[in-house]
Structures are given as C-alpha cells and as structure tokens.
Amino acid sequence: MSNTTTSWVPIPPGSHFSIANIPFGIISTEERPAPVPAVAIGEHALDLAQFATGNGFSGLDNISSHLNVFSEPTLNGFAALGRPVHREVRAYLQDVLRSDTQFGRILKDNEELRQKSLIPLNKVQNHVPMTIGDYTDFFAGVNHASTMGRILRGAANPLQPNYLHVPVAYHSRSSSIIISGSQFHRPSGQVLQDPTAEVKEPKFSPTNRLDIELELGVFLCRENKLGVPVPVNSAEEAIFGAVIVNDWSARDIQAWEYVPLGPFIAKNFATTISSWVVLADALEPFLTSSLQRDRQMLPYLQEKRVENVWDIQLRVDLKPSNGPITTLSRTSAKNVVWSFAQMLAHHSVGGCNMRVGDLLASGTISGTEHGTQGSLVEQNKGGKEVIQLNGGLERKFLEDGDSITITGWCGHDQNALVGFGDCSSLILPAVQGD
C-alpha cells in the first residue's frame, strides 16, 4: 500500500488528523443523533456506519462479516476484533482517502456516499468512545512521583521503597469519565481546617486546591480469563489505542482522605479524555525507551523490547474566564518508568481478568525542569508559590471559569502529524447543598 501523505480530502498543515493517523471515535450529528463509529481525517469525520452501508468496505473482504461493529454505539465491538483487524482496516481507510491508490475512488467518486459519510468536524458531537468497565490509574511518572515525595516527605527519600519495583496504581471511577469539551462542577468534600492543629477537625466545603494531572491512557482490546495473567511480552497485543487523560484532583480533599487506602472523593468527580483513540499501530513509529531505573525488575516485568513507550509531545494550556491563554507545561509521554505492557502484566499477574474497553492511565507525566510539570501542585511547590499567567493574572490552583486544554501529537512533519486533538474541560462552580 502507498506511503504518500497526500489525501484528496483537504488536510491543513499541522492537523493532528493527517492520513498517517486515522484515529477512531464515536460521533453523532443533529440529523443522525444515534452515536456511531467514525475516523477523523483533517477537518472531517468519516462516518463508518454510513460508509459501511454504502458498500465502502467492498475492497476489504476480511471485514465483510464484521460490518455490524460500525453501527454500534461504542468501539468495543471493533476493538474486540483484535489488532490485526485494526491494522488492516486502518490501512484500507488510508488507501480510500489517498489520491493515488486503487481504492482512492471508492469514496472520492461516489458523491452520494461522500455527502452522507464525510462530515465536517464542527458538525459532529463526540462521545466517550468505549464502554469502560474498569479504569485503573497508575503512577508511572517518576519525575512527578519524586517531586511529590520531596514535597510530602522531604528530599532524603522522595520515592517509596516499592516504587521502582512495582507499577503502583489504584482503581478509579469509570462512570465519571467525560469526553473532551465537557464541563464539570468543582467538587466538595471534607477538608482539614488547620493541618497544624493537634486535634484534626475537618469541614465540608468546595475544594480550594483543584488541580490537573497530565496523563496518557490506553484502552484494552483483549480479554484474559480469570486466574490467567497477561505475559509482559505479549501484552502489547491487548492495547487498542491511546487517549490523553486529565485526571482532575482535589488536593486538599485528597490530603485528608488518602491515608490509609488512597484517593477516593478527591479523584472520582471527573476525568476528561480526548475524543479520538489513536491506534497503537499509528503510534508504532514513535516508540522510544522508558526512563531508566537503578533497580532490577522481577522477571514477569522484564520486556524483551527496549523501545517500549511513545514519544508523544504534550502541552497544557489554561484559559481563564477573564484573560488570555497561558501554556503551563510542555513535556513528553516518554517521561515514565513503566510501559503500558508492564502495567498490564502487573495488573493481571494475580489473576485479574481484564476486559475489552478497560482504561489504564499512566499517572502524571512530568519532566524535570520548570515548565515541564504535569500538575500545578508541582509548579507551586505544594501551594507555597504562585504561578504567573499571561495578562498579569496569578494562580496557585484552578478557579471557577478556568478551562484546561491538553494537546498531544507525534512527529515533526506538519503534513504527517499523528495527534489526539484536544482534551479540554471547563470548571463550573460547586453545586450548592440544601
């Protein structure tokens, strides 16, 4: 198949949705409100339900018995077909959308099918792409873990003794995962009135320390039976694709509740993900090595491949309600010490049965320099310093009316970027009680 980056669909330079990408998502329109699978190409979405109904997959015999997955309201059915099928469908759609292939006229020259299935992105509504049974949030960003350890425990021992031996994680809430463009209310909970007081007394109030966590997540496409672990060196075949994740955090609520069992109310109110799932095969050219460690891993976590994480460029922007945009952070998704294959191998090593649509998140991804941190609490040194914004504004933590947008992309050729689009949400005031 052709390797050209030229498409007959107009794709502006710098688009995250070049023909080298072909990410999958779930969309609806005013005319067709039932959610269906689609792929993004430039400034358009290709409605795969309409494309399949119009015989668009006529050149791909191997998918003919599975066309029903393109009329389902989530990507779970398509994901469950496995990575070889994902690879074949993506390559076929690339050929359909290219200018110089045998399949390039299937859609280009069929005006009726093109009008029904190729829709401007500004006319579609995106939806959470998978039915997410379980969501597990890891702690793989060693730079974030080290910084938080220094803030909480001092510089002598910033990392817990287990950190470089085990991919630490906690089970989070899948029901409050929201799609990019959604709004959410500031959470309320128990907050310690005076952390220095001898007798600790909490009060109930909206959080005053609402924070972001810049993360990457992957959806799974393969199940394992209860009691049967996923081997680390075949775990990548269970990874469907990736999304950007903003694991919003209420730091003051978290500080009071997390001992001894970990985050709960401080994390379960909202998690924003980007709308389009970038397939693992699209990210394959951007593999690199994870951060090195000075500890020997146990055998079940030892990967044969050296290049095991993706070099995805990540950026965090804050837009206040009354001021200009400020870029808070720029970093790379390679700043982790555990790969998703290792996370999955550890998650299942005790016999946990993973399911199609399960979401694994990386934990906060940070660099080591100022302006590369994936959370505000790192930048403000635990709330002790202010962060200067454009327009003369300041923040320690997020205020009502603030909007956070995270973007991520791979590559340097402006005509062949593999990106995720936006992962954005607006913060609304807390819901007032009776």
Side-chain angles (χ1 to χ4, degrees), residues 153-167:
R153 294 183 296 277
N157 296 292
L159 295 177
Q160 297 285 10
N162 67 345
Y163 184 82
L164 294 174
H165 292 281
V166 56

Side-chain angles (χ1 to χ4, degrees), residues 420-434:
F420 295 79
D422 292 346
C423 176
S424 63
S425 281
L426 172 69
I427 302 163
L428 301 176
V431 176
Q432 298 300 314
D434 296 334

Side-chain angles (χ1 to χ4, degrees), residues 338-387:
W338 299 105
S339 72
F340 281 111
Q342 290 170 320
M343 296 180 214
L344 177 54
H346 179 68
H347 200 316
S348 64
V349 72
C352 177
N353 53 322
M354 313 301 292
R355 295 178 292 188
V356 173
D358 282 355
L359 178 64
L360 308 183
S362 61
T364 307
I365 301 172
S366 298
T368 57
E369 301 176 354
H370 181 71
T372 66
Q373 303 100 326
S375 65
L376 299 180
V377 72
E378 294 173 81
Q379 292 195 20
N380 64 32
K381 296 180 170 53
K384 296 177 181 177
E385 299 181 2
V386 297
I387 300 169

Side-chain angles (χ1 to χ4, degrees), residues 135-138 213-218 241-246 274 283 309-312 314 333-334 336 340 343 359-365 408 420:
Y135 163 39
T136 304
D137 195 16
F138 282 83
E213 290 200 354
L214 166 61
E215 306 192 19
L216 192 69
V218 298
V243 291
I244 295 172
V245 175
N246 188 348
S274 52
L283 294 169
V309 298
W310 299 304
D311 185 9
I312 302 169
L314 299 166
K334 68 182 180 181
V336 292
F340 281 111
M343 296 180 214
L359 178 64
L360 308 183
S362 61
T364 307
I365 301 172
F420 295 79

Side-chain angles (χ1 to χ4, degrees), residues 27 29 32 36-39 45-52 70 116-119:
I27 67 165
T29 64
R32 295 190 290 273
V36 293
V39 296
L46 178 61
D47 181 328
L48 295 180
Q50 291 293 320
F51 183 70
F70 299 122
K116 287 183 177 179
S117 61
L118 200 60
I119 309 165

Side-chain angles (χ1 to χ4, degrees), residues 188-211:
S188 297
Q190 291 193 25
V191 176
L192 198 58
Q193 297 187 66
D194 182 4
T196 64
E198 183 176 349
V199 178
K200 309 299 184 185
E201 292 289 344
K203 64 178 180 178
F204 184 83
S205 74
T207 177
N208 290 311
R209 293 193 162 204
L210 184 59
D211 200 355

